Each structure stands twice: as C-alpha cells, then as structure tokens.
Amino acid sequence: GQSLEQPSEVTAVEGAIVQINCTYQTSGFYGLSWYQQHDGGAPTFLSYNALDGLEETGRFSSFLSRSDSYGYLLLQELQMKDSASYFCAVLDGNTGGFKTIFGAGTRLFVKA
Amino acid sequence: NAGVTQTPKFRVLKTGQSMTLLCAQDMNHEYMYWYRQDPGMGLRLIHYSVGEGTTAKGEVPDGYNVSRLKKQNFLLGLESAAPSQTSVYFCATTHWEVEQGNEQFFGPGTRLTVL
C-alpha cells in the first residue's frame, strides 16, 4: 500500500522561513506534489517534483530525494495569508491508472 | 469557463436515504476523481475514472458507487447513507500528463451531513 507522513502542525512568524517535511512509501512512485488548502476552500496545486532536487516557484520551493523517499516544501518570507493546510501527495501509477494519494496535511499557523 | 463544478453545495440526509453528487468539468480532462475529507485528515480517494465509461476503486470505495457516462460528468452515489459518510466531498480532474505531476483541479466541495 501507500503511506505518507508529515507533521500535523507547524507555527512560524511572519517573514520567517518554514520547512514542511514529507516521507512516503509507495510501490509505484512517479512524483511528489504539494497542495495548499485554506479553511473552507478547495485544495490548490503548488508544485511537483519527479526528479531529485529543488524546484523553485516564487516564495515556495519543493525538494525531492527519491533514494530517501523524502521531500519538503519550503516557504520563505512568510505572510499571514500563508496560514493554511499543506498536503504532500504522491503520484502513484502502480495499478489501474495513475492516481494521487494525499498525506493527512500540515496545518501552518503564521503569527504576526 | 466554469472549470470544475459540484452540485449540491450542501446536503443533509437521514440514515438510509440515497443521493447522487454531480461533478461537471469543462476542461476536457480525461481523469476525474472523488475524494472525501474528514476533519483533520487529508483527502482520501473514493473512486476515480481514467476516461469516459471507465471507473476504478480508490482507498475507501465501500458504500459508494460512481458512473462516468459522459466525459465531462462524474457522478458519486450513496445508496443508503450512514452517519460515517458525513464529510466534505471533493471532485477533481486532471489532464493526463505525468510530467506535469498530474496537477489536479478541484471543485468547491459538497458538505454532506448524515443524521
């Protein structure tokens, strides 16, 4: 089966940098995605890593190490609006077509 | 373009009642998914479809059925609702491109309460 582990909560100060880690276990791994979800809203796609290394998109960066089954999302210059839940998700292509399996999410609280 | 829409937005059912949730997309995507999200938990895949006329089971398919008769619509049915099915249901679609990470586009969700 598949499993993903990420911290349940992280708190950081406005303007700071925060890293949200994700470890995964899956047999048909293709890549790791990150999604953001504000309270009451729908998840929105942030980034995707298929290869090892760092991908940067503005204030957000995502990293993947396939050999360690590990990735992280890095948020820089934190703003109050970044307070949300962040989900890592693996793209799994083992059987029956490709599907995305989500972690339980990390709730990020940004304090002034 | 509306993107991904879901109807209804809210619903309250009594135990044993049935209902159908509708997901519609105008993005011409092949893949469609139904997830449920419970408080403090991530999204759990119920069923999905890789194209018109196809469906497959996800992580938590019991108690649900789906149909994909048209490419743009994906229906989720509850034949006999139970309180354990109280949840927020999200539909998502994607164009099959593994290089793009299978980016999923989500509908606004349906909040279902089963009494």
Side-chain angles (χ1 to χ4, degrees):
Chain A
Q2 305 99 347
S3 68
L4 295 97
E5 296 285 336
Q6 56 181 126
S8 59
E9 285 187 8
V10 173
T11 300
V13 178
E14 195 174 16
I17 300 172
V18 70
Q19 178 174 313
I20 300 174
N21 298 321
C22 175
T23 57
Y24 60 85
Q25 190 172 25
T26 181
S27 55
F29 179 83
Y30 272 76
L32 187 71
S33 299
W34 289 91
Y35 285 77
Q36 178 190 60
Q37 185 181 30
H38 287 98
D39 285 348
T44 56
F45 178 84
L46 289 176
S47 68
Y48 173 69
N49 295 69
L51 303 175
D52 287 356
L54 191 68
E55 295 279 345
E56 298 181 60
T57 308
R59 293 188 298 113
F60 293 2
S61 303
S62 57
F63 172 83
L64 175 66
S65 169
R66 295 177 71 110
S67 60
D68 295 323
S69 298
Y70 164 75
Y72 66 73
L73 179 70
L74 191 72
L75 297 82
Q76 301 181 71
E77 300 173 15
L78 280 173
Q79 302 176 9
M80 298 298 288
K81 68 178 181 180
D82 297 330
S83 292
S85 292
Y86 293 85
F87 298 91
C88 60
V90 295
L91 179 59
D92 183 278
N94 202 27
T95 58
F98 285 83
K99 56 183 183 286
T100 299
I101 305 299
F102 287 80
T106 297
R107 184 73 181 249
L108 172 63
F109 297 95
V110 180
K111 301 189 301 183
Chain B
N1 292 341
V4 183
T5 58
Q6 293 182 231
T7 52
K9 288 185 170 54
F10 303 92
R11 187 72 184 269
V12 178
L13 290 178
K14 294 181 180 179
T15 297
Q17 288 185 316
S18 63
M19 78 163 295
T20 300
L21 284 70
L22 170 65
C23 177
Q25 54 111 351
D26 62 5
M27 306 175 80
N28 201 32
H29 287 169
E30 294 90 358
Y31 280 57
M32 297 187 75
Y33 305 84
W34 275 108
Y35 296 92
R36 61 176 288 173
Q37 185 174 36
D38 300 300
M41 297 182 69
L43 296 139
R44 291 185 291 170
L45 183 63
I46 304 171
H47 286 279
Y48 63 105
S49 169
V50 302
E52 181 179 322
T54 73
T55 62
K57 293 181 179 179
E59 303 170 85
V60 289
D62 293 343
Y64 305 95
N65 55 75
V66 288
S67 64
R68 182 101 181 266
L69 299 179
K70 293 183 179 181
K71 185 178 183 178
Q72 63 267 34
N73 295 336
F74 195 28
L75 278 66
L76 178 71
L78 287 74
E79 291 187 349
S80 180
S84 61
Q85 293 178 304
T86 293
S87 189
V88 179
Y89 292 85
F90 286 102
C91 172
T93 75
T94 186
H95 177 65
W96 163 226
E97 282 185 23
V98 69
E99 294 82 6
Q100 301 300 320
N102 211 35
E103 175 183 353
Q104 298 196 16
F105 297 85
F106 284 82
T110 295
R111 295 182 181 276
L112 175 66
T113 301
V114 183
L115 302 175

